Amino acid sequence: MQYLQYDRDDLVLENVPVRQLAEEYGTPLYVYSESQIRDNYRRMDEAFAGVPHRLCYAVKANSNPEILRLLAEMGAGADAVSIGEMHLSLQAGVAPENIVFAGVGKRDDEIEFAIQQNIRGLNVESEMELQVVADIAARLQRRARVSLRINPDIDIHGHPYISTGRHQDKFGIAMDVARRLITEYRDHPHVQLVGLHAHLGSQIAQILPYRKLGEVMYELASFTAQQGHRLEYIDVGGGLGVRYEPQGDERHFRHDWQGVNELAIEPKAVADALLASLRQLELPILFEPGRALVANAGLLLTRVLYLKETGGKRFVIVDAGMTELLRPSLYSAYHAIVPLQWREGEAIQADVVGPICESGDFLARDRRLPPLQRGDLLAVLTAGAYGFSLSSNYNARPRPAEVLVKDDQHRLIRARGRLEALWAG
Ligand code: LLP
């Protein structure tokens, strides 16, 4: 179900007119629909209902504490990639046994923290890291719970910056090395191999990579068992994509979102593809969705500052830019942009750009938009994942505020950054 729609001319999220939020809290502003997040979580959870499983939410997608808390309450674990994300997850109420910790560059203090908290698994990404984990565990007189992050060499045919499972990517351990480590680390006093992990990449829109991943993990898990390890789980990463682009013309948004904000594949189809092989292992499955749980729940609200034509181009200059939403600049990502109040009239074609002193600072290029005036409010859609979490203070801009909407209620879940805090650092 879609919680965003037009009521006559006004954009409404759940039961709150979005313009009211922009006026009350100011812009730029992130707003999220709680009901949408809850629906997303339930749908994903049901997809894996046939097997023991845990959804370990990829905290990096959106680490607002209130969003973490609401997902934790629904039963989510956490996929963390730093000591900061582990801290946030623990504070939000995620039990240590439901936290996994990935990342190619873990610092020693982060590894030590993970071992001491006895989290579900440290997803080790290289032979050298495994050695370091073993050394730290020995010093602490502990047995570290480790899962090997495999690089399965599967191409998701997506943007190279968010493909992580091809052999040329920096992530994970090659299969042959993994096999050797599995043999070498049998009965190790300070390393307990509890899981196998892989993450193919992000914004996946096809089933086939998941099917292949299931097969690869099944084979490796069987090998691992033959070597005498007792695996406790298989962690298949995240990556399920969301539709950002409309299938037709944005001018029709007022009546029909044309697929924007829907998942790129049915969660059930993803689960079935993975489980086709993995089911036979009878091990709990961890799935680490980030984007699929929060992207379509979030909007970035921004106000039109100026309209300008130069060099034969038309620009709509707004008060949000790459500091608030980096995805267009970093990946040439498309985000639909709609007015908070619809105005009839001839459509314009323009670049929507931010105030940042970079030519690469844009939210949309050559976009067809309804007629606009100074002061108009716009919503950038599908901004709940990798929006605020990729924001920065560049150009000494305080970070935007965040608001959570539920039915006809709304509340601030992160205050706007303060100018004084820029000075304090
Ligand atoms: N697990 C691991 C180990 C990951 O590295 C990631 C994302 C996920 C799970 C969650 O992936 P998701 O379900 O959200 O696709 N900033 C980029 C996305 C980077 C994803 C990094 N890793 C973007 O805005 O598209």
Side-chain angles (χ1 to χ4, degrees):
M1 138 141 212
Q2 173 79 264
Y3 288 92
L4 187 69
Q5 56 212 302
Y6 279 100
D7 178 9
R8 297 213 180 92
D9 289 340
D10 289 313
L11 189 66
V12 176
L13 184 63
E14 302 213 15
N15 289 320
V16 179
V18 182
R19 191 158 61 102
Q20 194 182 315
L21 300 172
E23 268 151 23
E24 183 166 336
Y25 299 99
T27 55
L29 180 74
Y30 273 101
V31 299
Y32 309 107
S33 154
E34 179 172 334
S35 304
Q36 184 72 66
I37 298 174
R38 288 184 185 278
D39 278 12
N40 293 342
Y41 181 86
R42 265 186 230 112
R43 193 166 154 208
M44 194 69 75
D45 200 40
E46 278 161 18
F48 287 89
V51 294
H53 67 280
R54 175 79 54 186
L55 300 183
C56 289
Y57 169 61
V59 175
K60 63 177 86 66
N62 186 323
S63 51
N64 184 288
E66 289 301 314
I67 290 180
L68 293 181
R69 206 195 310 264
L70 104 81
L71 286 168
E73 273 169 21
M74 293 193 79
D79 157 44
V81 288
S82 65
I83 193 166
E85 288 191 352
M86 282 189 281
H87 262 287
L88 284 174
S89 306
L90 291 165
Q91 270 178 344
V94 182
E97 64 263 27
N98 291 330
I99 297 178
V100 290
F101 179 28
V104 290
K106 303 180 190 74
R107 285 194 316 262
D108 291 16
D109 63 303
E110 296 183 301
I111 292 172
E112 185 167 332
F113 181 80
I115 295 173
Q116 266 162 347
Q117 292 292 326
N118 205 23
I119 63 165
R120 183 132 179 188
L122 262 135
N123 296 339
V124 166
E125 305 226 9
S126 67
E127 184 168 2
M128 197 185 283
E129 184 191 335
L130 186 54
Q131 185 59 55
V132 170
V133 169
D135 292 348
I136 293 175
R139 175 163 54 75
L140 298 173
Q141 299 187 320
R142 298 284 291 268
R143 200 156 182 237
R145 296 172 54 83
V146 158
S147 141
L148 293 185
R149 177 170 179 176
I150 309 305
N151 183 322
D153 195 18
I154 296 172
D155 199 341
I156 57 166
H157 303 290
H159 193 289
Y161 290 9
I162 53 176
S163 296
T164 51
R166 304 165 306 168
H167 68 87
Q168 68 267 40
D169 298 321
K170 70 176 174 180
F171 299 95
I173 301 172
M175 286 302 253
D176 51 339
V177 179
R179 282 174 193 270
R180 176 166 56 74
L181 294 175
I182 288 164
T183 338
E184 284 174 14
Y185 277 75
R186 203 166 24 199
D187 302 321
H188 192 285
H190 297 293
V191 171
Q192 184 188 359
L193 184 59
V194 292
L196 296 175
H197 174 236
H199 170 71
L200 297 176
S202 211
Q203 190 53 8
I204 300 174
Q206 303 160 346
I207 283 296
L208 194 60
Y210 284 114
R211 183 174 291 276
K212 283 192 198 155
L213 178 64
E215 288 163 9
V216 170
M217 297 299 264
Y218 173 77
E219 265 181 43
L220 195 63
S222 309
F223 173 79
T224 311
Q226 282 158 19
Q227 296 301 309
H229 295 275
R230 278 257 218 92
L231 285 180
E232 295 178 11
Y233 64 86
I234 304 292
D235 181 346
V236 293
L240 175 47
V242 169
R243 291 198 194 287
Y244 289 84
E245 287 197 46
Q247 259 125 51
D249 191 321
E250 288 197 2
R251 281 173 303 170
H252 301 301
F253 270 159
R254 193 168 166 187
H255 312 291
D256 176 10
W257 299 96
Q258 303 176 92
V260 170
N261 277 346
E262 280 167 19
L263 294 183
I265 335 171
E266 272 296 312
K268 185 76 173 75
V270 172
D272 289 348
L274 286 162
L275 296 175
S277 339
L278 292 178
R279 182 174 275 118
Q280 306 162 61
L281 294 173
E282 296 185 355
L283 285 175
I285 303 295
L286 307 192
F287 188 49
E288 304 174 341
R291 191 188 316 266
L293 295 186
V294 290
N296 65 356
L299 314 174
L300 171 62
L301 308 187
T302 184
R303 196 178 278 278
V304 175
L305 296 174
Y306 304 103
L307 300 155
K308 142 171 180 176
E309 274 187 56
T310 179
K313 267 192 93 116
R314 196 192 287 244
F315 293 96
V316 175
I317 302 166
V318 297
D319 68 359
M322 65 191 291
T323 41
E324 287 70 34
L325 183 66
L326 183 60
R327 303 192 73 259
S329 301
L330 189 58
Y331 315 111
S332 301
Y334 183 106
H335 282 263
I337 299 181
V338 299
L340 299 202
Q341 254 199 321
W342 206 275
R343 182 182 298 122
E344 288 304 338
E346 209 178 311
I348 60 166
Q349 187 98 6
D351 283 14
V352 180
V353 300
I356 311 305
C357 302
E358 300 272 347
S359 292
D361 172 36
F362 61 91
L363 295 176
R365 286 211 146 136
D366 282 323
R367 192 64 63 83
R368 230 181 139 77
L369 297 158
L372 293 171
Q373 293 173 4
R374 171 172 162 82
D376 281 354
L377 290 160
L378 298 172
V380 185
L381 305 190
T382 332
Y386 308 108
F388 187 96
S389 62
L390 267 171
S391 69
S392 80
N393 290 121
Y394 184 42
N395 282 200
R397 287 164 61 81
R399 269 171 233 252
E402 294 177 287
V403 165
L404 189 64
V405 170
K406 175 81 200 298
D407 303 327
D408 58 356
Q409 305 292 309
H410 49 89
R411 64 193 167 100
L412 193 65
I413 55 170
R414 191 187 317 258
R416 188 170 298 286
R418 291 175 311 120
L419 286 174
E420 299 73 37
L422 293 174
W423 182 253

